[in-house]
Amino acid sequence: MSTWSARLKELGIELPGVAAPLAAYVPATQSGSWVFTSGQLPFVEGKLPATGKVGAEVSPEEAKQYSATCILNALAAVHALVGIDSIKRVVKVVGFVASAEGFTGQPGVINGASELLGEIFGDAGKHARSAVGVAELPIGAPVEIELIVEV
């Protein structure tokens, strides 16, 4: 067992199955030494655990947990394409937060994903990042995340 698989096991994390695309795209694609994921929603067993805007129907604390779920779904897409152990480093995370009017805590929400990547990958998990507030996300999801890794 190599590094990242062993680390996931050590943390008690099992990657979920790859979420089925909602439209005409693939969950992840590789170009050279880069793997790009499509936006991943916080699906758990094929269903969203919550819908609505952060700062209204969804608390920032809940949304932070959902961003961690999104990143696990993104890692599952990478794993299905090239294998988790082929990851050299996490390059960038782009997080979208469906935000209630006046909500400005998007960075804290996306920290759920960033902190989990740090737990799994250590220094190789340090990444560039954007945390963007948006009016709506697909099917009412509170959070969506894209991931770019080097393999």
Side-chain angles (χ1 to χ4, degrees), residues 3-147:
T3 308
W4 309 132
S5 295
R7 181 66 180 145
L8 288 171
K9 187 174 182 178
E10 180 182 309
L11 291 170
I13 296 172
E14 186 173 326
L15 292 177
V18 178
L22 298 175
Y25 60 89
V26 294
T29 188
Q30 182 176 4
S31 180
S33 60
W34 307 102
V35 174
F36 302 80
T37 70
S38 296
Q40 297 294 313
L41 302 179
F43 284 122
V44 176
E45 297 179 6
K47 297 180 182 171
L48 288 177
T51 58
K53 295 185 180 185
V54 180
E57 299 85 6
V58 178
S59 75
E61 296 77 19
E62 290 170 315
K64 183 177 180 181
Q65 291 300 318
Y66 299 147
S67 77
T69 302
C70 290
I71 211 65
L72 289 175
N73 288 338
L75 289 172
V78 172
H79 180 61
L81 185 67
V82 297
I84 193 86
D85 294 318
S86 68
I87 294 174
K88 290 182 182 175
R89 69 180 309 262
V90 177
V91 176
K92 184 160 187 182
V93 169
V94 180
F96 302 95
V97 180
S99 301
E101 186 175 338
F103 180 73
T104 60
Q106 293 84 6
V109 169
I110 303 306
N111 274 350
S114 294
E115 291 167 2
L116 183 55
L117 288 169
E119 284 184 54
I120 296 168
F121 296 102
D123 283 344
K126 292 179 180 175
H127 54 273
R129 187 181 91 175
S130 299
V132 182
V134 297
E136 301 289 340
L137 287 170
I139 63 173
V143 182
E144 180 175 356
I145 295 197
E146 298 174 2
L147 178 65

